Amino acid sequence: MGEIAAKARKSIGARRNPESADAILEAAEAVLSEAGYSGFSIEAVARRARAGKPTIYRWWPSKAALLIEVYQRQKRVETPDTGNIEADLAGFLMNLFAHWRDTSSGNVFRSLVAEAQSDAAAAAALADYAKGRRAHTGRMVERAKARGEVAADVDAELVADLVASFAWTHLLTNRLDGEEATIRAAIRYLTCGILKPTERKGVLDPRGTS
Amino acid sequence: MGEIAAKARKSIGARRNPESADAILEAAEAVLSEAGYSGFSIEAVARRARAGKPTIYRWWPSKAALLIEVYQRQKRVETPDTGNIEADLAGFLMNLFAHWRDTSSGNVFRSLVAEAQSDAAAAAALADYAKGRRAHTGRMVERAKARGEVAADVDAELVADLVASFAWTHLLTNRLDGEEATIRAAIRYLTCGILKPTERKGVLDPRGTS
Amino acid sequence: MGEIAAKARKSIGARRNPESADAILEAAEAVLSEAGYSGFSIEAVARRARAGKPTIYRWWPSKAALLIEVYQRQKRVETPDTGNIEADLAGFLMNLFAHWRDTSSGNVFRSLVAEAQSDAAAAAALADYAKGRRAHTGRMVERAKARGEVAADVDAELVADLVASFAWTHLLTNRLDGEEATIRAAIRYLTCGILKPTERKGVLDPRGTS
Amino acid sequence: MGEIAAKARKSIGARRNPESADAILEAAEAVLSEAGYSGFSIEAVARRARAGKPTIYRWWPSKAALLIEVYQRQKRVETPDTGNIEADLAGFLMNLFAHWRDTSSGNVFRSLVAEAQSDAAAAAALADYAKGRRAHTGRMVERAKARGEVAADVDAELVADLVASFAWTHLLTNRLDGEEATIRAAIRYLTCGILKPTERKGVLDPRGTS
DNA sequence: TGCTAATCGAGACGGTACGTCTAGTCTTTTT
DNA sequence: AAAAAGACTAGACGTACCGTCTCGATTAGCA
């Protein structure tokens, strides 16, 4: 695990040493969760992992690449399947908030978003990752459509986008400690809308303006 | 304006020289829009503005403070008032996307969010700013509530939060070029919900789950 | 006096304020004796004296000028007159060593010499001062010549130069704590020479080599 | 030699690159002789040597250390051995004056003395160096004692101290252009004394006062 | 079995930027 | 008219990282 510094490792020959790779990823995670994004430097990771800087650069061409792999090593938040779209989406958000709050994942992801603002590679990787997650999250909506709970012409990924955006923004502005009621209300707006029932003329006609 | 470097300025006595302050803010904006967040350094701003670094540090204790003031110098995106909440919110989002896309504001704000991930002062300033903007955006919802368009128990700021989150996330992942239809659909989900009308049992009862 | 900082003074109108001049000189001396030459800056003096930098620059165009005036405010080491040149010179040296050792004069003079290595004005002032002091010290030799103790063709200023050089060098290399015997021996060499009496062929013929 | 800037150099692995060290020392010497002590900064040396500042700080913790090594790279002035102490000492002084005058050594040594007034490390190094040189110069006197030219109880190092002090002081006050006759006279005083022969009672009894 | 090639930790390299300090100049306000 | 105050440009200070490079050692796989 390497609390302060990993043990010294030697080369295991003309191939990648998985011990080193692990030590580096673990060190990266540790540095990030202890010193935050501002203290996250390749030097610091190398020191912590007892690795040479070139070893890091050999396998991860940039800070972004390292961040991405660290983030992807961590387990994903699963999407619930309760048979009710509102409960599913709210449960997903609450799981996600808790995951970010209680593990180093939140820090890692924040850092990745920050890095993406100055590093094109990180931006591309983040876009890719986000797209995949939207698809994954969207499946909750697809399931609801399949069982007739959600209107057929709803864009599942767009819904996932709205849900994820809410989570991202709360992460990036240190508002992960929101109450459950707030999350439930936000999801309720998304599922049921905010219009007064009497005002509801035509539902889900994205072209019209009513 | 100072395309590459401002003219040399002298002190105007024992008080802040507004010419220098202007030159610095303009230089900061220029550096940000030309070199992006990764090229944005106090040194670069000082060079561009023909200012001494201590002059910058005297008035802006950190990169974050400078970013904040640059952002706040730029004009705000106004909230439309068409008498229809859906048109209002969609119009607001489209204005915001266009503003971020077509001016340097987008770059400035991205940088500010990134900086907030490593600088507590920036985080606090950003939180403050975002809160104010949510209140501002929320007024569109309040107006709709007043005219009976939106249900009375809707949390206007939470709606604004959802709308702004969508915008932020698209900015941070370089998706400002979305089609108008996407924005309209997202807003439509928020106003009318995504549930099938036949499935809609009780609307806007944040406690119940139907 | 101003132990840490002098009291605030106001302008006394369109003429030099002697209180300020005094406060500045005293502050300069204090800074020099407390922080040494390395801590001696115009800024530090201005802070200590509660004076503006321009006030200092108006009256003392450079650090050197300030150093010179500080040094000249301090009392001179007097030349003894015992009727014996050896006792006079040795006494003078011991007085000088003690003066430098026990007051801040040593620090001031060291600083002045150091400053003269990078500032032409200081160099000129130091040259001037040193010339004057050589003449002054040389008077001991002149008196000895007058009373027939020292050979008539001896260059009094050159003797003073040798004596002063010994003192300067000891000051500059932190060797002011030399024993009295060492000083006496050095002076004895100068007065009586180091040659064995039997080897002494012609005395004081600067052209010959014997 | 590198007149304006050395060529770019790369690392030669995890050990000191002597090319860089040389380039830095040469640049330091060049800066010193061209811009003098006041223009001698680590930045200027780094620029001139095409070296990074950290490379300089890695090997020379202070300006003083760099000055010392620059000075010690230069060749020493040798002590003549003519069989006559007066000629030896005068010759040594004239060589030293010429060396300081005609090479950059004078500037380097002046700077070192100046630096020693504000930097303890430089002071220690200078003290050490001076002690060694006094021993070296003193050997001329020891030889003269051995051949019976100089009295046996003369302190050779003290004589060397007097001679060196004269040289140092002339260097530090820009008086290296003194005439040969002055140097010869000064040495003559030291060897033969300045007393009138008739006044010379007891020679070389450092305890008595005559 | 001995050679080649890739990997490892290590750390120096030329650089850029950091945030602080001082230099010396300038201007307004106060006396 | 000069003092006081403090802002101004300019640039050096010493440190932290950047990403690259070379080293010497270690070891797997090929010859």
Side-chain angles (χ1 to χ4, degrees):
Chain A
M1 184 40 114
E3 302 193 52
I4 289 220
K7 284 189 190 167
R9 292 169 308 280
K10 298 192 170 178
S11 167
I12 58 166
R15 67 197 200 284
R16 183 172 186 174
N17 185 342
E19 277 185 45
S20 290
D22 282 352
I24 288 165
L25 290 167
E26 274 162 21
E29 192 180 331
V31 166
L32 217 36
S33 81
E34 286 168 20
Y37 178 50
S38 65
F40 180 72
S41 67
I42 297 287
E43 295 243 354
V45 174
R47 262 196 307 274
R48 175 69 112 113
R50 296 268 254 130
K53 281 199 287 175
T55 303
I56 299 184
Y57 280 107
R58 183 165 7 249
W59 304 112
W60 298 276
S62 67
K63 211 146 63 159
L66 188 49
L67 276 171
I68 290 162
E69 189 163 340
V70 168
Y71 190 64
Q72 287 182 335
R73 258 165 57 105
Q74 299 176 325
K75 77 168 179 13
R76 293 279 84 78
V77 171
E78 276 314 306
T79 48
D81 186 1
T82 64
N84 174 278
I85 185 63
E86 213 174 314
D88 280 4
L89 293 176
F92 170 69
L93 267 190
M94 291 196 298
N95 288 349
L96 185 53
F97 274 42
H99 180 236
W100 280 344
R101 210 190 308 117
D102 303 337
T103 72
S104 61
S105 288
N107 256 331
V108 178
F109 195 65
R110 282 161 61 110
S111 304
L112 186 48
V113 174
E115 190 72 13
Q117 305 315 307
S118 55
D119 182 301
L126 180 61
D128 216 59
Y129 172 78
K131 194 174 179 62
R133 292 311 286 172
R134 278 197 301 276
H136 186 255
T137 309
R139 270 182 232 141
M140 284 185 291
V141 181
E142 297 290 2
R143 285 196 300 259
K145 280 162 72 173
R147 64 180 176 258
E149 190 183 5
V150 161
D153 58 355
V154 161
D155 180 342
E157 286 211 11
L158 183 53
V159 174
D161 197 357
L162 278 160
V163 171
S165 292
F166 186 77
W168 283 37
T169 307
H170 280 240
L171 170 66
L172 295 174
T173 53
N174 302 306
R175 290 185 291 146
L176 290 182
D177 50 350
E179 300 169 12
E180 185 178 333
T182 308
I183 291 175
R184 290 206 177 279
I187 295 299
R188 170 62 65 111
Y189 298 163
L190 203 51
T191 50
C192 306
I194 60 175
L195 295 188
K196 225 183 217 171
T198 57
E199 285 290 319
R200 204 178 298 269
K201 292 154 196 169
V203 177
L204 292 172
D205 170 8
R207 274 165 306 286
T209 53
S210 81
Chain B
M1 186 35 119
E3 302 194 51
I4 289 217
K7 285 188 191 167
R9 291 170 308 280
K10 299 193 167 174
S11 167
I12 59 165
R15 66 195 200 284
R16 184 173 187 173
N17 185 343
E19 276 185 48
S20 290
D22 283 351
I24 288 165
L25 290 168
E26 274 161 21
E29 194 181 330
V31 166
L32 215 38
S33 81
E34 286 169 19
Y37 178 51
S38 64
F40 180 72
S41 67
I42 298 287
E43 295 243 354
V45 173
R47 263 197 305 273
R48 176 69 111 110
R50 296 267 257 129
K53 279 198 287 175
T55 302
I56 299 184
Y57 282 106
R58 185 171 1 256
W59 303 113
W60 298 278
S62 66
K63 213 146 62 162
L66 188 49
L67 277 171
I68 290 161
E69 191 163 339
V70 169
Y71 191 65
Q72 287 183 334
R73 258 164 57 105
Q74 298 176 327
K75 77 169 180 11
R76 294 279 83 79
V77 171
E78 277 312 307
T79 47
D81 186 0
T82 64
N84 174 277
I85 186 63
E86 214 174 312
D88 280 2
L89 292 176
F92 170 70
L93 266 191
M94 292 195 298
N95 288 348
L96 184 54
F97 275 43
H99 180 237
W100 279 345
R101 208 188 309 116
D102 303 337
T103 72
S104 61
S105 287
N107 257 328
V108 178
F109 195 65
R110 281 162 62 111
S111 304
L112 187 47
V113 175
E115 190 72 13
Q117 306 315 308
S118 55
D119 181 301
L126 181 60
D128 216 59
Y129 173 79
K131 194 175 179 61
R133 292 310 289 172
R134 280 197 299 275
H136 186 254
T137 308
R139 268 182 232 140
M140 285 184 290
V141 181
E142 298 289 0
R143 283 196 300 260
K145 281 161 72 173
R147 65 181 174 254
E149 190 183 3
V150 162
D153 59 354
V154 161
D155 180 342
E157 286 211 11
L158 183 52
V159 174
D161 197 357
L162 279 159
V163 171
S165 293
F166 186 75
W168 283 37
T169 307
H170 280 240
L171 171 66
L172 296 173
T173 53
N174 302 306
R175 289 187 291 144
L176 290 182
D177 50 350
E179 299 170 13
E180 185 178 331
T182 308
I183 291 175
R184 289 206 179 278
I187 294 299
R188 170 62 65 111
Y189 298 162
L190 203 49
T191 50
C192 305
I194 58 174
L195 294 188
K196 224 183 215 173
T198 56
E199 286 290 320
R200 204 178 298 269
K201 293 154 196 168
V203 177
L204 293 171
D205 171 10
R207 277 165 305 284
T209 53
S210 81
Chain C
M1 181 46 108
E3 302 192 52
I4 290 222
K7 285 188 188 167
R9 291 170 310 281
K10 299 194 168 177
S11 168
I12 59 168
R15 63 195 200 283
R16 180 170 182 174
N17 186 341
E19 277 185 47
S20 290
D22 282 351
I24 289 165
L25 290 168
E26 274 161 20
E29 194 180 330
V31 166
L32 216 36
S33 80
E34 285 169 19
Y37 178 51
S38 63
F40 180 73
S41 67
I42 297 286
E43 295 246 351
V45 173
R47 261 198 306 275
R48 175 70 111 112
R50 300 266 254 126
K53 280 198 289 174
T55 305
I56 299 184
Y57 279 107
R58 184 169 355 259
W59 302 112
W60 298 276
S62 67
K63 210 146 66 161
L66 188 49
L67 278 171
I68 290 161
E69 189 163 339
V70 168
Y71 191 64
Q72 287 182 335
R73 258 165 57 105
Q74 299 175 325
K75 78 169 177 17
R76 294 278 84 76
V77 170
E78 277 311 307
T79 48
D81 188 1
T82 64
N84 174 278
I85 186 61
E86 214 174 311
D88 280 3
L89 293 176
F92 170 70
L93 267 191
M94 292 196 299
N95 288 348
L96 184 55
F97 274 43
H99 180 236
W100 279 343
R101 209 189 307 118
D102 303 337
T103 73
S104 62
S105 288
N107 256 331
V108 179
F109 195 65
R110 283 161 61 111
S111 304
L112 187 48
V113 174
E115 190 71 14
Q117 305 315 307
S118 55
D119 181 301
L126 180 61
D128 217 59
Y129 173 79
K131 193 174 178 63
R133 292 310 288 171
R134 280 199 299 277
H136 186 254
T137 309
R139 270 182 230 140
M140 284 185 291
V141 180
E142 297 290 1
R143 284 196 301 261
K145 279 161 75 171
R147 65 181 176 255
E149 192 184 2
V150 161
D153 58 356
V154 160
D155 181 341
E157 286 210 10
L158 183 51
V159 174
D161 197 358
L162 279 160
V163 171
S165 293
F166 186 76
W168 283 37
T169 308
H170 280 240
L171 171 66
L172 296 173
T173 52
N174 303 307
R175 290 185 291 145
L176 290 182
D177 50 350
E179 299 171 12
E180 185 179 333
T182 308
I183 291 175
R184 290 205 178 279
I187 294 299
R188 171 62 64 109
Y189 298 162
L190 202 50
T191 49
C192 305
I194 59 174
L195 295 188
K196 225 183 215 172
T198 57
E199 285 291 318
R200 204 179 298 270
K201 291 153 197 171
V203 176
L204 294 174
D205 171 8
R207 274 163 307 283
T209 53
S210 81
Chain D
M1 198 12 137
E3 303 193 52
I4 289 221
K7 284 189 191 167
R9 293 168 308 279
K10 297 192 170 176
S11 166
I12 58 166
R15 65 197 201 284
R16 185 171 189 173
N17 185 342
E19 278 185 46
S20 290
D22 282 351
I24 288 165
L25 290 168
E26 274 162 21
E29 194 180 329
V31 166
L32 216 36
S33 81
E34 286 168 20
Y37 178 51
S38 64
F40 179 73
S41 67
I42 298 286
E43 295 243 354
V45 173
R47 263 197 306 273
R48 176 69 112 110
R50 297 267 253 127
K53 278 198 289 176
T55 302
I56 300 186
Y57 281 107
R58 184 166 10 249
W59 302 113
W60 298 277
S62 67
K63 212 144 65 159
L66 189 48
L67 277 171
I68 290 161
E69 190 163 339
V70 168
Y71 191 65
Q72 287 182 335
R73 259 164 58 104
Q74 299 176 324
K75 78 169 177 18
R76 295 277 86 78
V77 171
E78 277 311 306
T79 47
D81 187 2
T82 63
N84 174 278
I85 185 64
E86 214 174 313
D88 280 2
L89 292 176
F92 170 69
L93 266 191
M94 291 196 298
N95 287 349
L96 185 54
F97 274 43
H99 180 236
W100 279 344
R101 209 189 308 116
D102 303 337
T103 72
S104 61
S105 288
N107 256 330
V108 179
F109 195 64
R110 282 160 61 110
S111 304
L112 187 48
V113 174
E115 191 71 14
Q117 305 315 307
S118 54
D119 181 300
L126 180 62
D128 215 59
Y129 172 78
K131 194 175 178 60
R133 292 309 289 171
R134 279 198 299 277
H136 186 253
T137 309
R139 272 183 229 139
M140 285 185 291
V141 181
E142 297 289 2
R143 285 196 299 260
K145 281 162 72 172
R147 64 181 177 255
E149 190 184 3
V150 161
D153 58 355
V154 160
D155 180 342
E157 286 211 10
L158 183 52
V159 174
D161 196 358
L162 279 159
V163 170
S165 292
F166 185 76
W168 283 37
T169 307
H170 280 239
L171 171 66
L172 295 173
T173 53
N174 302 305
R175 290 186 290 143
L176 289 183
D177 50 351
E179 301 170 12
E180 184 178 333
T182 308
I183 291 175
R184 290 206 179 279
I187 294 298
R188 169 62 64 110
Y189 298 163
L190 202 49
T191 47
C192 305
I194 59 174
L195 294 187
K196 226 184 215 171
T198 57
E199 285 291 319
R200 203 179 297 271
K201 293 154 196 169
V203 177
L204 292 173
D205 171 8
R207 276 163 305 287
T209 53
S210 80

